[in-house]
Amino acid sequence: MTEYTYPIIFGVVIGTIARLLMLRTDYRQYPTYLHGKLIHVSLGFIAASLGAVAVPAIMELEFTAVTFLTVAATQFREVRNMERNTLTEVDEFELVPRGNTYIEGIAISFESRNYIVIFTAFIGTLFYIVWNVWFAIAGTIICFLLSKVLQSGSTLKDIVDIEHSELTFEGAGLYVDNIYIMNIGLPERQEEILRYGMGFILKPKDMNTITTIANLGQRQAILHDVSVSLGVFRDSGTPALTPLIKRDLDDGRIGVFILPQVREVEKARKIIGAVPVLENAIRMPSKSRTHNKEVN
Amino acid sequence: MKLEKAILAVITTDEKRISGGAPIFICETRKELENVAANIEAITDGIAHALSDDVFIVVKH
């Protein structure tokens, strides 16, 4: 037992707890299985150990020891690759795939959460050694709160207005409002689509949003989330029954055509509103200097 | 080059209006046309699109 034993144990424990708190299984159903969770809790434990041990290393003036944090960085980049590969493999067999942009977003958050764990363990151990256990607990709570804030990005309802709209056929062309979706030739398919389909119009609230919701990955994420939450009326070998999103080129609105099994307009509207805005889809033309010069 | 989409079959009730490379199915009535299109759609996992009242194509997407 040394003076560092308790602080290190404290750091490792709170780091692992932080990882457990961030490992949620929600409607995205991932990771669902026990083994998947075990992998991430174990990696969280390793991350917590690294963060906790870094403090005594610095206190003992072993500055070179900090270089092992780079090993950790490599290790966690590997986590991101692993998640990306697994999800991409599995995605082929989804009725409505997640799409690469969504997968990349999930993979990135797996990596970044490990860094949050390192940081939490580091702060916990540091405060414990410098002051005492109570300060350490207070610091940890602040870290937990921070990680909660960092974890939740914005959702679609913050950036678009969602309106329900009837599906219509003009000849063989399927329309949501005035947005053309696709050509359906067979009358029986058309009937199925009118019976089971639902249409929504997403109106962007500002200039930045137009580009964001036009992103194909973001659109696929909407379709995937809706299909997961409300079910989907389709099967392999029925490509005519494919949920689709098309764009109005004039004003950047998008027309969402979905085939949910639970046909409740309000619920569907809420679910579309709760779709995360993918980090990789966010564009900020309003931050462009040239653009602002022209506007003002 | 990888072809993303391809016309798998053309189904028509008006044989004067078509010729070419894809398999062509000539039908007598609109009803028959729809049946054939539905079958080919199911068999090939394609989508039956209507170009006009007389001409349907089945496309692999």
Side-chain angles (χ1 to χ4, degrees), chain A residues 186 189 237 239, chain B residues 7-12 23-27 32-48 56-59:
Chain A
L186 297 172
R189 285 275 171 285
Chain B
I7 298 181
L8 301 177
V10 179
I11 309 119
T12 182
I24 297 166
F25 298 82
I26 296 160
C27 304
E32 193 189 348
L33 174 90
E34 280 168 14
N35 280 338
V36 173
N39 267 329
I40 299 178
E41 184 187 75
I43 293 163
T44 59
D45 287 0
I47 304 183
F56 273 43
I57 54 172
V58 176
V59 179

Side-chain angles (χ1 to χ4, degrees), chain A residues 106-123:
Chain A
I106 296 174
I108 285 176
S109 60
F110 270 107
E111 185 184 353
S112 70
R113 281 171 194 194
N114 278 303
Y115 297 127
I116 296 177
V117 168
I118 293 186
F119 183 71
T120 310
F122 183 87
I123 292 290

